[in-house]
Amino acid sequence: FPFATILFCTLMEAEIALMSTFALSIILGFTLAFDHSSFIFINMITGILTIVVACNLKKRKEVFHVCAKIWIVAAMMIAAFDLSNGTLITSSFILDLFASACNLLLIALLIVGIMPLLETIFNVMTDMALMEFMDPTNELLKRLSIEAPGTYQHSLSIGHISEYVANSIGANGLFCRVTTLYHDIGKLNTPHYYTENQLLAGAKPFN
Protein backbone atom coordinates (compact mmCIF):
# COMPACT_ATOMS: atom_id res chain seq x y z
CA PHE A 1 0.00 0.00 0.00
CA PRO A 2 2.71 2.60 0.81
CA PHE A 3 4.43 1.68 -2.47
CA ALA A 4 1.36 2.51 -4.57
CA THR A 5 0.45 5.51 -2.44
CA ILE A 6 3.88 7.15 -2.70
CA LEU A 7 4.01 6.61 -6.45
CA PHE A 8 0.50 8.01 -7.04
CA CYS A 9 1.14 10.93 -4.70
CA THR A 10 4.48 11.82 -6.29
CA LEU A 11 3.70 11.21 -9.96
CA MET A 12 0.04 12.27 -9.94
CA GLU A 13 -2.06 13.91 -7.21
CA ALA A 14 -2.80 13.40 -3.54
CA GLU A 15 -6.51 12.95 -4.27
CA ILE A 16 -5.81 10.03 -6.62
CA ALA A 17 -3.45 8.50 -4.07
CA LEU A 18 -6.13 8.76 -1.36
CA MET A 19 -8.81 7.14 -3.54
CA SER A 20 -6.48 4.31 -4.56
CA THR A 21 -5.48 3.69 -0.94
CA PHE A 22 -9.09 3.38 0.21
CA ALA A 23 -10.04 1.20 -2.79
CA LEU A 24 -7.09 -1.17 -2.35
CA SER A 25 -7.64 -1.41 1.40
CA ILE A 26 -11.29 -2.38 1.02
CA ILE A 27 -10.85 -4.74 -1.94
CA LEU A 28 -7.85 -6.61 -0.55
CA GLY A 29 -9.17 -6.44 2.99
CA PHE A 30 -12.19 -8.53 2.04
CA THR A 31 -10.46 -10.83 -0.46
CA LEU A 32 -7.32 -11.85 1.45
CA ALA A 33 -7.27 -14.17 4.42
CA PHE A 34 -6.66 -11.54 7.07
CA ASP A 35 -8.51 -10.02 9.97
CA HIS A 36 -10.60 -7.62 7.90
CA SER A 37 -11.08 -4.88 10.47
CA SER A 38 -7.45 -4.52 11.55
CA PHE A 39 -6.09 -4.93 8.00
CA ILE A 40 -8.34 -2.24 6.52
CA PHE A 41 -7.91 0.15 9.44
CA ILE A 42 -4.10 -0.11 9.56
CA ASN A 43 -3.70 0.32 5.81
CA MET A 44 -6.10 3.27 5.62
CA ILE A 45 -4.37 5.10 8.46
CA THR A 46 -0.87 4.43 7.11
CA GLY A 47 -2.09 5.40 3.63
CA ILE A 48 -3.32 8.77 4.86
CA LEU A 49 -0.07 9.31 6.76
CA THR A 50 1.88 8.40 3.62
CA ILE A 51 0.02 11.01 1.59
CA VAL A 52 0.59 13.70 4.22
CA VAL A 53 4.35 13.14 4.45
CA ALA A 54 5.02 12.11 0.82
CA CYS A 55 3.41 15.14 -0.83
CA ASN A 56 6.38 17.29 0.19
CA LEU A 57 9.16 14.99 -0.99
CA LYS A 58 12.07 17.06 -2.29
CA LYS A 59 14.94 14.59 -2.22
CA ARG A 60 15.01 10.90 -3.04
CA LYS A 61 16.61 9.97 0.29
CA GLU A 62 13.56 11.41 2.06
CA VAL A 63 11.63 8.34 0.87
CA PHE A 64 13.44 6.40 3.60
CA HIS A 65 12.28 8.94 6.21
CA VAL A 66 8.70 8.57 4.98
CA CYS A 67 8.86 4.78 5.24
CA ALA A 68 10.37 5.02 8.73
CA LYS A 69 7.48 7.20 9.91
CA ILE A 70 4.98 4.78 8.37
CA TRP A 71 6.62 1.87 10.19
CA ILE A 72 6.45 3.66 13.55
CA VAL A 73 2.72 4.36 13.15
CA ALA A 74 2.05 0.85 11.85
CA ALA A 75 3.94 -0.67 14.79
CA MET A 76 1.86 1.35 17.24
CA MET A 77 -1.38 0.20 15.61
CA ILE A 78 -0.26 -3.45 15.51
CA ALA A 79 0.57 -3.20 19.21
CA ALA A 80 -2.82 -1.61 19.91
CA PHE A 81 -4.72 -4.39 18.14
CA ASP A 82 -2.68 -7.08 19.89
CA LEU A 83 -3.28 -5.40 23.22
CA SER A 84 -7.01 -5.24 22.56
CA ASN A 85 -6.93 -8.98 21.94
CA GLY A 86 -5.12 -9.55 25.23
CA THR A 87 -1.80 -10.47 23.65
CA LEU A 88 1.37 -8.41 23.40
CA ILE A 89 5.11 -9.06 23.01
CA THR A 90 4.49 -12.43 21.47
CA SER A 91 6.44 -14.11 18.68
CA SER A 92 3.66 -13.16 16.26
CA PHE A 93 3.92 -9.50 17.28
CA ILE A 94 7.71 -9.45 16.84
CA LEU A 95 7.37 -11.20 13.48
CA ASP A 96 4.82 -8.60 12.34
CA LEU A 97 7.16 -5.75 13.28
CA PHE A 98 10.12 -7.36 11.54
CA ALA A 99 8.12 -8.21 8.41
CA SER A 100 6.65 -4.70 8.15
CA ALA A 101 10.11 -3.13 8.59
CA CYS A 102 11.59 -5.32 5.84
CA ASN A 103 8.60 -4.59 3.62
CA LEU A 104 8.94 -0.82 4.01
CA LEU A 105 12.71 -0.93 3.48
CA LEU A 106 12.14 -2.84 0.25
CA ILE A 107 9.47 -0.30 -0.78
CA ALA A 108 11.88 2.61 -0.21
CA LEU A 109 14.60 0.92 -2.27
CA LEU A 110 12.19 0.14 -5.11
CA ILE A 111 10.79 3.67 -5.23
CA VAL A 112 14.24 5.29 -5.26
CA GLY A 113 15.30 2.88 -7.98
CA ILE A 114 12.34 3.07 -10.35
CA MET A 115 11.23 6.68 -9.82
CA PRO A 116 13.67 8.16 -12.39
CA LEU A 117 12.53 5.52 -14.89
CA LEU A 118 8.85 6.33 -14.34
CA GLU A 119 9.55 10.07 -14.59
CA THR A 120 11.14 9.47 -17.99
CA ILE A 121 8.50 7.06 -19.30
CA PHE A 122 5.51 9.22 -18.31
CA ASN A 123 7.32 12.55 -18.86
CA VAL A 124 6.54 13.74 -15.33
CA MET A 125 8.63 16.38 -13.58
CA THR A 126 8.46 15.61 -9.87
CA ASP A 127 9.70 17.90 -7.11
CA MET A 128 12.60 15.50 -6.57
CA ALA A 129 13.69 15.91 -10.19
CA LEU A 130 13.30 19.68 -9.94
CA MET A 131 15.56 19.77 -6.88
CA GLU A 132 18.24 17.95 -8.86
CA PHE A 133 18.04 20.58 -11.61
CA MET A 134 18.48 23.28 -8.95
CA ASP A 135 21.67 21.70 -7.60
CA PRO A 136 24.50 24.27 -8.00
CA THR A 137 26.83 21.45 -9.05
CA ASN A 138 24.68 20.90 -12.14
CA GLU A 139 26.92 21.32 -15.19
CA LEU A 140 24.96 24.17 -16.78
CA LEU A 141 24.53 26.10 -13.54
CA LYS A 142 28.20 25.67 -12.71
CA ARG A 143 29.15 27.05 -16.12
CA LEU A 144 26.72 29.94 -15.68
CA SER A 145 28.15 30.86 -12.27
CA ILE A 146 31.73 30.86 -13.63
CA GLU A 147 31.34 32.23 -17.15
CA ALA A 148 28.43 34.61 -16.52
CA PRO A 149 28.40 35.40 -12.77
CA GLY A 150 26.20 38.46 -13.17
CA THR A 151 23.57 36.51 -15.08
CA TYR A 152 23.75 33.74 -12.47
CA GLN A 153 23.11 36.16 -9.59
CA HIS A 154 20.28 37.76 -11.57
CA SER A 155 18.70 34.33 -12.15
CA LEU A 156 18.96 33.45 -8.46
CA SER A 157 17.23 36.69 -7.45
CA ILE A 158 14.45 36.35 -10.00
CA GLY A 159 14.06 32.70 -9.02
CA HIS A 160 13.31 33.59 -5.39
CA ILE A 161 10.84 36.27 -6.49
CA SER A 162 9.04 33.96 -8.91
CA GLU A 163 8.79 31.22 -6.26
CA TYR A 164 7.25 33.64 -3.76
CA VAL A 165 4.75 34.98 -6.29
CA ALA A 166 3.81 31.49 -7.51
CA ASN A 167 3.26 30.20 -3.97
CA SER A 168 1.08 33.21 -3.15
CA ILE A 169 -1.35 32.36 -5.98
CA GLY A 170 -1.28 28.60 -5.41
CA ALA A 171 1.02 27.71 -8.32
CA ASN A 172 4.07 25.45 -8.20
CA GLY A 173 6.70 27.73 -6.69
CA LEU A 174 9.52 25.22 -6.97
CA PHE A 175 8.85 24.70 -10.68
CA CYS A 176 8.89 28.46 -11.28
CA ARG A 177 12.11 28.89 -9.33
CA VAL A 178 13.93 26.13 -11.20
CA THR A 179 12.80 27.25 -14.66
CA THR A 180 13.79 30.83 -13.84
CA LEU A 181 17.31 29.67 -13.03
CA TYR A 182 17.66 28.57 -16.65
CA HIS A 183 15.77 31.37 -18.39
CA ASP A 184 18.97 33.18 -19.40
CA ILE A 185 21.08 30.11 -20.05
CA GLY A 186 21.50 31.17 -23.69
CA LYS A 187 23.72 34.04 -22.54
CA LEU A 188 26.50 31.49 -22.07
CA ASN A 189 27.19 31.76 -25.81
CA THR A 190 28.35 35.38 -25.44
CA PRO A 191 28.29 36.31 -21.72
CA HIS A 192 30.40 39.46 -22.20
CA TYR A 193 27.66 40.99 -24.37
CA TYR A 194 25.49 41.62 -21.29
CA THR A 195 25.94 44.45 -18.84
CA GLU A 196 25.59 42.42 -15.64
CA ASN A 197 28.62 40.32 -16.61
CA GLN A 198 30.66 43.30 -17.84
CA LEU A 199 30.33 45.11 -14.52
CA LEU A 200 31.35 42.10 -12.41
CA ALA A 201 34.24 41.26 -14.69
CA GLY A 202 35.41 44.86 -14.96
CA ALA A 203 35.09 44.69 -18.73
CA LYS A 204 34.25 47.60 -20.95
CA PRO A 205 30.62 47.80 -22.15
CA PHE A 206 30.04 46.09 -25.49
CA ASN A 207 29.13 48.36 -28.35
Side-chain angles (χ1 to χ4, degrees), residues 57-68 108 111-112 128 132:
L57 283 176
K58 302 297 183 186
K59 298 180 180 179
R60 302 195 190 279
K61 65 180 181 181
E62 291 178 356
V63 173
F64 292 93
H65 300 161
V66 170
C67 289
I111 289 176
V112 171
M128 291 183 285
E132 292 173 355

mmCIF file with all atom_site columns, all heavy atoms in Angstrom, residues 57-68 108 111-112 128 132:
data_model
loop_
_atom_site.group_PDB
_atom_site.id
_atom_site.type_symbol
_atom_site.label_atom_id
_atom_site.label_alt_id
_atom_site.label_comp_id
_atom_site.label_asym_id
_atom_site.label_entity_id
_atom_site.label_seq_id
_atom_site.pdbx_PDB_ins_code
_atom_site.Cartn_x
_atom_site.Cartn_y
_atom_site.Cartn_z
_atom_site.occupancy
_atom_site.B_iso_or_equiv
_atom_site.pdbx_formal_charge
_atom_site.auth_seq_id
_atom_site.auth_comp_id
_atom_site.auth_asym_id
_atom_site.auth_atom_id
_atom_site.pdbx_PDB_model_num
ATOM 1   N N   . LEU A 1 57  ? 7.852  15.587 -0.716  1.00 0.00 ? 57  LEU A N   1
ATOM 2   C CA  . LEU A 1 57  ? 9.156  14.989 -0.986  1.00 0.00 ? 57  LEU A CA  1
ATOM 3   C C   . LEU A 1 57  ? 9.972  15.891 -1.908  1.00 0.00 ? 57  LEU A C   1
ATOM 4   O O   . LEU A 1 57  ? 9.515  16.268 -2.985  1.00 0.00 ? 57  LEU A O   1
ATOM 5   C CB  . LEU A 1 57  ? 8.988  13.611 -1.625  1.00 0.00 ? 57  LEU A CB  1
ATOM 6   C CG  . LEU A 1 57  ? 8.599  12.454 -0.702  1.00 0.00 ? 57  LEU A CG  1
ATOM 7   C CD1 . LEU A 1 57  ? 8.375  11.190 -1.536  1.00 0.00 ? 57  LEU A CD1 1
ATOM 8   C CD2 . LEU A 1 57  ? 9.669  12.210 0.334   1.00 0.00 ? 57  LEU A CD2 1
ATOM 9   N N   . LYS A 1 58  ? 11.178 16.235 -1.483  1.00 0.00 ? 58  LYS A N   1
ATOM 10  C CA  . LYS A 1 58  ? 12.065 17.062 -2.294  1.00 0.00 ? 58  LYS A CA  1
ATOM 11  C C   . LYS A 1 58  ? 13.318 16.319 -2.723  1.00 0.00 ? 58  LYS A C   1
ATOM 12  O O   . LYS A 1 58  ? 13.909 16.638 -3.748  1.00 0.00 ? 58  LYS A O   1
ATOM 13  C CB  . LYS A 1 58  ? 12.485 18.317 -1.496  1.00 0.00 ? 58  LYS A CB  1
ATOM 14  C CG  . LYS A 1 58  ? 11.328 19.177 -1.022  1.00 0.00 ? 58  LYS A CG  1
ATOM 15  C CD  . LYS A 1 58  ? 10.521 19.756 -2.166  1.00 0.00 ? 58  LYS A CD  1
ATOM 16  C CE  . LYS A 1 58  ? 9.410  20.661 -1.654  1.00 0.00 ? 58  LYS A CE  1
ATOM 17  N NZ  . LYS A 1 58  ? 8.529  21.129 -2.735  1.00 0.00 ? 58  LYS A NZ  1
ATOM 18  N N   . LYS A 1 59  ? 13.742 15.360 -1.910  1.00 0.00 ? 59  LYS A N   1
ATOM 19  C CA  . LYS A 1 59  ? 14.943 14.592 -2.224  1.00 0.00 ? 59  LYS A CA  1
ATOM 20  C C   . LYS A 1 59  ? 14.612 13.100 -2.151  1.00 0.00 ? 59  LYS A C   1
ATOM 21  O O   . LYS A 1 59  ? 13.771 12.685 -1.368  1.00 0.00 ? 59  LYS A O   1
ATOM 22  C CB  . LYS A 1 59  ? 16.066 14.936 -1.245  1.00 0.00 ? 59  LYS A CB  1
ATOM 23  C CG  . LYS A 1 59  ? 16.492 16.398 -1.290  1.00 0.00 ? 59  LYS A CG  1
ATOM 24  C CD  . LYS A 1 59  ? 17.608 16.692 -0.302  1.00 0.00 ? 59  LYS A CD  1
ATOM 25  C CE  . LYS A 1 59  ? 18.023 18.155 -0.351  1.00 0.00 ? 59  LYS A CE  1
ATOM 26  N NZ  . LYS A 1 59  ? 19.089 18.451 0.637   1.00 0.00 ? 59  LYS A NZ  1
ATOM 27  N N   . ARG A 1 60  ? 15.319 12.324 -2.958  1.00 0.00 ? 60  ARG A N   1
ATOM 28  C CA  . ARG A 1 60  ? 15.014 10.895 -3.036  1.00 0.00 ? 60  ARG A CA  1
ATOM 29  C C   . ARG A 1 60  ? 15.299 10.175 -1.721  1.00 0.00 ? 60  ARG A C   1
ATOM 30  O O   . ARG A 1 60  ? 14.614 9.220  -1.375  1.00 0.00 ? 60  ARG A O   1
ATOM 31  C CB  . ARG A 1 60  ? 15.796 10.265 -4.190  1.00 0.00 ? 60  ARG A CB  1
ATOM 32  C CG  . ARG A 1 60  ? 15.484 10.941 -5.522  1.00 0.00 ? 60  ARG A CG  1
ATOM 33  C CD  . ARG A 1 60  ? 15.938 10.130 -6.706  1.00 0.00 ? 60  ARG A CD  1
ATOM 34  N NE  . ARG A 1 60  ? 15.817 10.926 -7.931  1.00 0.00 ? 60  ARG A NE  1
ATOM 35  C CZ  . ARG A 1 60  ? 14.703 11.104 -8.610  1.00 0.00 ? 60  ARG A CZ  1
ATOM 36  N NH1 . ARG A 1 60  ? 13.585 10.542 -8.178  1.00 0.00 ? 60  ARG A NH1 1
ATOM 37  N NH2 . ARG A 1 60  ? 14.671 11.839 -9.712  1.00 0.00 ? 60  ARG A NH2 1
ATOM 38  N N   . LYS A 1 61  ? 16.296 10.626 -0.977  1.00 0.00 ? 61  LYS A N   1
ATOM 39  C CA  . LYS A 1 61  ? 16.612 9.970  0.286   1.00 0.00 ? 61  LYS A CA  1
ATOM 40  C C   . LYS A 1 61  ? 15.511 10.173 1.325   1.00 0.00 ? 61  LYS A C   1
ATOM 41  O O   . LYS A 1 61  ? 15.443 9.427  2.308   1.00 0.00 ? 61  LYS A O   1
ATOM 42  C CB  . LYS A 1 61  ? 17.945 10.471 0.830   1.00 0.00 ? 61  LYS A CB  1
ATOM 43  C CG  . LYS A 1 61  ? 17.963 11.938 1.226   1.00 0.00 ? 61  LYS A CG  1
ATOM 44  C CD  . LYS A 1 61  ? 19.336 12.346 1.751   1.00 0.00 ? 61  LYS A CD  1
ATOM 45  C CE  . LYS A 1 61  ? 19.355 13.812 2.173   1.00 0.00 ? 61  LYS A CE  1
ATOM 46  N NZ  . LYS A 1 61  ? 20.691 14.221 2.673   1.00 0.00 ? 61  LYS A NZ  1
ATOM 47  N N   . GLU A 1 62  ? 14.652 11.180 1.121   1.00 0.00 ? 62  GLU A N   1
ATOM 48  C CA  . GLU A 1 62  ? 13.563 11.413 2.065   1.00 0.00 ? 62  GLU A CA  1
ATOM 49  C C   . GLU A 1 62  ? 12.523 10.299 2.004   1.00 0.00 ? 62  GLU A C   1
ATOM 50  O O   . GLU A 1 62  ? 11.699 10.182 2.916   1.00 0.00 ? 62  GLU A O   1
ATOM 51  C CB  . GLU A 1 62  ? 12.909 12.764 1.777   1.00 0.00 ? 62  GLU A CB  1
ATOM 52  C CG  . GLU A 1 62  ? 13.793 13.954 2.092   1.00 0.00 ? 62  GLU A CG  1
ATOM 53  C CD  . GLU A 1 62  ? 13.143 15.278 1.762   1.00 0.00 ? 62  GLU A CD  1
ATOM 54  O OE1 . GLU A 1 62  ? 12.015 15.262 1.214   1.00 0.00 ? 62  GLU A OE1 1
ATOM 55  O OE2 . GLU A 1 62  ? 13.741 16.327 2.045   1.00 0.00 ? 62  GLU A OE2 1
ATOM 56  N N   . VAL A 1 63  ? 12.546 9.478  0.956   1.00 0.00 ? 63  VAL A N   1
ATOM 57  C CA  . VAL A 1 63  ? 11.631 8.339  0.871   1.00 0.00 ? 63  VAL A CA  1
ATOM 58  C C   . VAL A 1 63  ? 11.868 7.400  2.050   1.00 0.00 ? 63  VAL A C   1
ATOM 59  O O   . VAL A 1 63  ? 10.922 6.828  2.608   1.00 0.00 ? 63  VAL A O   1
ATOM 60  C CB  . VAL A 1 63  ? 11.818 7.591  -0.465  1.00 0.00 ? 63  VAL A CB  1
ATOM 61  C CG1 . VAL A 1 63  ? 10.989 6.312  -0.487  1.00 0.00 ? 63  VAL A CG1 1
ATOM 62  C CG2 . VAL A 1 63  ? 11.444 8.492  -1.638  1.00 0.00 ? 63  VAL A CG2 1
ATOM 63  N N   . PHE A 1 64  ? 13.120 7.256  2.460   1.00 0.00 ? 64  PHE A N   1
ATOM 64  C CA  . PHE A 1 64  ? 13.437 6.396  3.601   1.00 0.00 ? 64  PHE A CA  1
ATOM 65  C C   . PHE A 1 64  ? 12.863 6.977  4.891   1.00 0.00 ? 64  PHE A C   1
ATOM 66  O O   . PHE A 1 64  ? 12.411 6.236  5.767   1.00 0.00 ? 64  PHE A O   1
ATOM 67  C CB  . PHE A 1 64  ? 14.952 6.208  3.726   1.00 0.00 ? 64  PHE A CB  1
ATOM 68  C CG  . PHE A 1 64  ? 15.559 5.415  2.606   1.00 0.00 ? 64  PHE A CG  1
ATOM 69  C CD1 . PHE A 1 64  ? 16.087 6.055  1.490   1.00 0.00 ? 64  PHE A CD1 1
ATOM 70  C CD2 . PHE A 1 64  ? 15.588 4.028  2.650   1.00 0.00 ? 64  PHE A CD2 1
ATOM 71  C CE1 . PHE A 1 64  ? 16.640 5.320  0.450   1.00 0.00 ? 64  PHE A CE1 1
ATOM 72  C CE2 . PHE A 1 64  ? 16.140 3.288  1.612   1.00 0.00 ? 64  PHE A CE2 1
ATOM 73  C CZ  . PHE A 1 64  ? 16.664 3.942  0.507   1.00 0.00 ? 64  PHE A CZ  1
ATOM 74  N N   . HIS A 1 65  ? 12.874 8.302  5.032   1.00 0.00 ? 65  HIS A N   1
ATOM 75  C CA  . HIS A 1 65  ? 12.284 8.937  6.209   1.00 0.00 ? 65  HIS A CA  1
ATOM 76  C C   . HIS A 1 65  ? 10.774 8.710  6.241   1.00 0.00 ? 65  HIS A C   1
ATOM 77  O O   . HIS A 1 65  ? 10.198 8.464  7.303   1.00 0.00 ? 65  HIS A O   1
ATOM 78  C CB  . HIS A 1 65  ? 12.584 10.446 6.203   1.00 0.00 ? 65  HIS A CB  1
ATOM 79  C CG  . HIS A 1 65  ? 14.041 10.763 6.226   1.00 0.00 ? 65  HIS A CG  1
ATOM 80  N ND1 . HIS A 1 65  ? 14.550 11.992 5.856   1.00 0.00 ? 65  HIS A ND1 1
ATOM 81  C CD2 . HIS A 1 65  ? 15.109 10.011 6.567   1.00 0.00 ? 65  HIS A CD2 1
ATOM 82  C CE1 . HIS A 1 65  ? 15.858 11.980 5.965   1.00 0.00 ? 65  HIS A CE1 1
ATOM 83  N NE2 . HIS A 1 65  ? 16.222 10.790 6.394   1.00 0.00 ? 65  HIS A NE2 1
ATOM 84  N N   . VAL A 1 66  ? 10.143 8.808  5.072   1.00 0.00 ? 66  VAL A N   1
ATOM 85  C CA  . VAL A 1 66  ? 8.698  8.568  4.978   1.00 0.00 ? 66  VAL A CA  1
ATOM 86  C C   . VAL A 1 66  ? 8.369  7.149  5.413   1.00 0.00 ? 66  VAL A C   1
ATOM 87  O O   . VAL A 1 66  ? 7.455  6.917  6.219   1.00 0.00 ? 66  VAL A O   1
ATOM 88  C CB  . VAL A 1 66  ? 8.207  8.820  3.541   1.00 0.00 ? 66  VAL A CB  1
ATOM 89  C CG1 . VAL A 1 66  ? 6.762  8.350  3.375   1.00 0.00 ? 66  VAL A CG1 1
ATOM 90  C CG2 . VAL A 1 66  ? 8.325  10.296 3.181   1.00 0.00 ? 66  VAL A CG2 1
ATOM 91  N N   . CYS A 1 67  ? 9.111  6.188  4.900   1.00 0.00 ? 67  CYS A N   1
ATOM 92  C CA  . CYS A 1 67  ? 8.856  4.783  5.243   1.00 0.00 ? 67  CYS A CA  1
ATOM 93  C C   . CYS A 1 67  ? 9.124  4.512  6.718   1.00 0.00 ? 67  CYS A C   1
ATOM 94  O O   . CYS A 1 67  ? 8.436  3.685  7.338   1.00 0.00 ? 67  CYS A O   1
ATOM 95  C CB  . CYS A 1 67  ? 9.708  3.871  4.369   1.00 0.00 ? 67  CYS A CB  1
ATOM 96  S SG  . CYS A 1 67  ? 9.169  3.822  2.641   1.00 0.00 ? 67  CYS A SG  1
ATOM 97  N N   . ALA A 1 68  ? 10.098 5.194  7.302   1.00 0.00 ? 68  ALA A N   1
ATOM 98  C CA  . ALA A 1 68  ? 10.372 5.019  8.730   1.00 0.00 ? 68  ALA A CA  1
ATOM 99  C C   . ALA A 1 68  ? 9.203  5.527  9.574   1.00 0.00 ? 68  ALA A C   1
ATOM 100 O O   . ALA A 1 68  ? 8.805  4.887  10.560  1.00 0.00 ? 68  ALA A O   1
ATOM 101 C CB  . ALA A 1 68  ? 11.664 5.754  9.111   1.00 0.00 ? 68  ALA A CB  1
ATOM 102 N N   . ALA A 1 108 ? 11.049 1.411  -0.040  1.00 0.00 ? 108 ALA A N   1
ATOM 103 C CA  . ALA A 1 108 ? 11.883 2.606  -0.206  1.00 0.00 ? 108 ALA A CA  1
ATOM 104 C C   . ALA A 1 108 ? 12.940 2.386  -1.286  1.00 0.00 ? 108 ALA A C   1
ATOM 105 O O   . ALA A 1 108 ? 13.174 3.260  -2.135  1.00 0.00 ? 108 ALA A O   1
ATOM 106 C CB  . ALA A 1 108 ? 12.534 2.969  1.119   1.00 0.00 ? 108 ALA A CB  1
ATOM 107 N N   . ILE A 1 111 ? 11.242 2.346  -4.784  1.00 0.00 ? 111 ILE A N   1
ATOM 108 C CA  . ILE A 1 111 ? 10.792 3.668  -5.226  1.00 0.00 ? 111 ILE A CA  1
ATOM 109 C C   . ILE A 1 111 ? 11.980 4.511  -5.672  1.00 0.00 ? 111 ILE A C   1
ATOM 110 O O   . ILE A 1 111 ? 11.938 5.168  -6.729  1.00 0.00 ? 111 ILE A O   1
ATOM 111 C CB  . ILE A 1 111 ? 10.008 4.373  -4.103  1.00 0.00 ? 111 ILE A CB  1
ATOM 112 C CG1 . ILE A 1 111 ? 8.654  3.687  -3.917  1.00 0.00 ? 111 ILE A CG1 1
ATOM 113 C CG2 . ILE A 1 111 ? 9.816  5.854  -4.418  1.00 0.00 ? 111 ILE A CG2 1
ATOM 114 C CD1 . ILE A 1 111 ? 7.846  4.235  -2.784  1.00 0.00 ? 111 ILE A CD1 1
ATOM 115 N N   . VAL A 1 112 ? 13.048 4.524  -4.885  1.00 0.00 ? 112 VAL A N   1
ATOM 116 C CA  . VAL A 1 112 ? 14.238 5.293  -5.257  1.00 0.00 ? 112 VAL A CA  1
ATOM 117 C C   . VAL A 1 112 ? 14.815 4.769  -6.570  1.00 0.00 ? 112 VAL A C   1
ATOM 118 O O   . VAL A 1 112 ? 15.299 5.545  -7.403  1.00 0.00 ? 112 VAL A O   1
ATOM 119 C CB  . VAL A 1 112 ? 15.294 5.220  -4.131  1.00 0.00 ? 112 VAL A CB  1
ATOM 120 C CG1 . VAL A 1 112 ? 16.615 5.827  -4.591  1.00 0.00 ? 112 VAL A CG1 1
ATOM 121 C CG2 . VAL A 1 112 ? 14.801 5.956  -2.892  1.00 0.00 ? 112 VAL A CG2 1
ATOM 122 N N   . MET A 1 128 ? 11.274 16.069 -6.770  1.00 0.00 ? 128 MET A N   1
ATOM 123 C CA  . MET A 1 128 ? 12.602 15.501 -6.568  1.00 0.00 ? 128 MET A CA  1
ATOM 124 C C   . MET A 1 128 ? 13.491 15.754 -7.777  1.00 0.00 ? 128 MET A C   1
ATOM 125 O O   . MET A 1 128 ? 14.677 16.074 -7.646  1.00 0.00 ? 128 MET A O   1
ATOM 126 C CB  . MET A 1 128 ? 12.489 14.001 -6.278  1.00 0.00 ? 128 MET A CB  1
ATOM 127 C CG  . MET A 1 128 ? 11.865 13.682 -4.930  1.00 0.00 ? 128 MET A CG  1
ATOM 128 S SD  . MET A 1 128 ? 11.797 11.913 -4.558  1.00 0.00 ? 128 MET A SD  1
ATOM 129 C CE  . MET A 1 128 ? 10.447 11.416 -5.644  1.00 0.00 ? 128 MET A CE  1
ATOM 130 N N   . GLU A 1 132 ? 16.975 18.341 -8.238  1.00 0.00 ? 132 GLU A N   1
ATOM 131 C CA  . GLU A 1 132 ? 18.236 17.952 -8.856  1.00 0.00 ? 132 GLU A CA  1
ATOM 132 C C   . GLU A 1 132 ? 18.671 18.974 -9.904  1.00 0.00 ? 132 GLU A C   1
ATOM 133 O O   . GLU A 1 132 ? 19.861 19.259 -10.052 1.00 0.00 ? 132 GLU A O   1
ATOM 134 C CB  . GLU A 1 132 ? 18.098 16.560 -9.482  1.00 0.00 ? 132 GLU A CB  1
ATOM 135 C CG  . GLU A 1 132 ? 17.928 15.458 -8.440  1.00 0.00 ? 132 GLU A CG  1
ATOM 136 C CD  . GLU A 1 132 ? 17.636 14.109 -9.063  1.00 0.00 ? 132 GLU A CD  1
ATOM 137 O OE1 . GLU A 1 132 ? 17.472 14.052 -10.312 1.00 0.00 ? 132 GLU A OE1 1
ATOM 138 O OE2 . GLU A 1 132 ? 17.562 13.118 -8.314  1.00 0.00 ? 132 GLU A OE2 1
#
